[in-house]
Amino acid sequence: MIRRVALLCLALLLPLVAAGQARAAGYRYWSFWDRDGSAWTYATQGPSTARPSDGAVQGFRFAVSEDSGDADQPRGAADFGAICAHTPRQDGTKRVALVIDFGTPADAPAGEKPPGAARTACARVPEDATTAEALATVAKPLRYDTNALLCAIAGYPRRGCGEQVSDKATGAPSAAPATRNDGGGPSVGLIAGGAAVVALGAAAVWQARRRRA
């Protein structure tokens, strides 16, 4: 009896695990980052509203990611002094160091490939300029969708904008992104489902032993 219950629990749990893995999909998009000292932090504003100060370092990375917790960071040098070494300060303007990482071939849309390695640029713009305005001075053409989402930098990619992609591990069509717990582990739904199955199994085992007694 106990063996039968264990097999039943396993049969119920496997679909939950598979569902959790199927939801481990992502979106292909340009993520936006701020440089905080020696580390990148995911930006809390979009480039069209962020207004960096003189000396800021900001980055963009094209990749497939599930959420901000697992997003790939920009690669390459990210030092303001080095990037803007030949761009002196001028009254009424500010300098923003930008790191633009086109990502890897694995994350590129079908039929496209990254136009090169990560590049850096120093944008000199008016003091009240946004990051989007700074980016436009050094990496045209930019492309946005109707919701003002940044779709392409320097013309890459040619098509698409934040589209959901197939699961990277299996190639299966992706579902809605899973809700992750604070530790970035399995989805909350998967944990709850597994706990329910274990609880049912424990109850069945207890009843079986009670009948024997």
Side-chain angles (χ1 to χ4, degrees), residues 23-60:
R23 284 197 298 268
Y27 292 82
R28 182 183 287 115
Y29 68 101
W30 278 101
S31 58
F32 175 40
W33 302 79
D34 289 317
R35 190 74 173 179
D36 184 9
S38 61
W40 288 111
T41 60
Y42 204 87
T44 57
Q45 298 185 67
S48 62
T49 59
R51 297 181 186 276
S53 59
D54 182 75
V57 179
Q58 297 186 308
F60 294 86

Side-chain angles (χ1 to χ4, degrees), residues 3-207:
R3 181 180 178 184
R4 289 171 59 189
V5 171
L7 291 173
L8 176 61
C9 290
L10 181 61
L12 292 172
L13 186 58
L14 285 176
L16 291 172
V17 173
Q21 291 176 341
R23 284 197 298 268
Y27 292 82
R28 182 183 287 115
Y29 68 101
W30 278 101
S31 58
F32 175 40
W33 302 79
D34 289 317
R35 190 74 173 179
D36 184 9
S38 61
W40 288 111
T41 60
Y42 204 87
T44 57
Q45 298 185 67
S48 62
T49 59
R51 297 181 186 276
S53 59
D54 182 75
V57 179
Q58 297 186 308
F60 294 86
R61 171 69 187 265
F62 188 77
V64 174
S65 61
E66 184 178 349
D67 53 35
S68 60
D70 78 338
D72 293 322
Q73 299 179 0
R75 299 166 295 177
D79 179 72
F80 177 82
I83 296 173
C84 291
H86 303 293
T87 308
R89 178 74 183 270
Q90 291 183 355
D91 291 341
T93 68
K94 62 184 177 184
R95 296 160 299 165
V96 180
L98 297 171
V99 178
I100 304 168
D101 187 342
F102 296 96
T104 66
D107 287 336
E112 297 194 54
K113 61 181 181 179
R119 67 174 69 165
T120 60
C122 186
R124 182 192 284 127
V125 290
E127 291 179 335
D128 62 346
T130 65
T131 302
E133 291 170 326
L135 184 64
T137 67
V138 298
K140 289 181 178 180
L142 306 181
R143 178 167 57 85
Y144 293 86
D145 70 358
T146 56
N147 297 313
L149 177 66
L150 180 60
C151 304
I153 297 177
Y156 180 76
R158 296 189 301 272
R159 298 176 299 276
C161 191
E163 68 272 14
Q164 194 172 13
V165 301
S166 298
D167 180 77
K168 291 188 288 186
T170 66
S174 59
T179 301
R180 299 170 67 94
N181 58 22
D182 290 340
S187 70
V188 174
L190 177 60
I191 294 173
V197 170
V198 172
L200 288 172
V205 171
W206 178 80
Q207 288 180 355

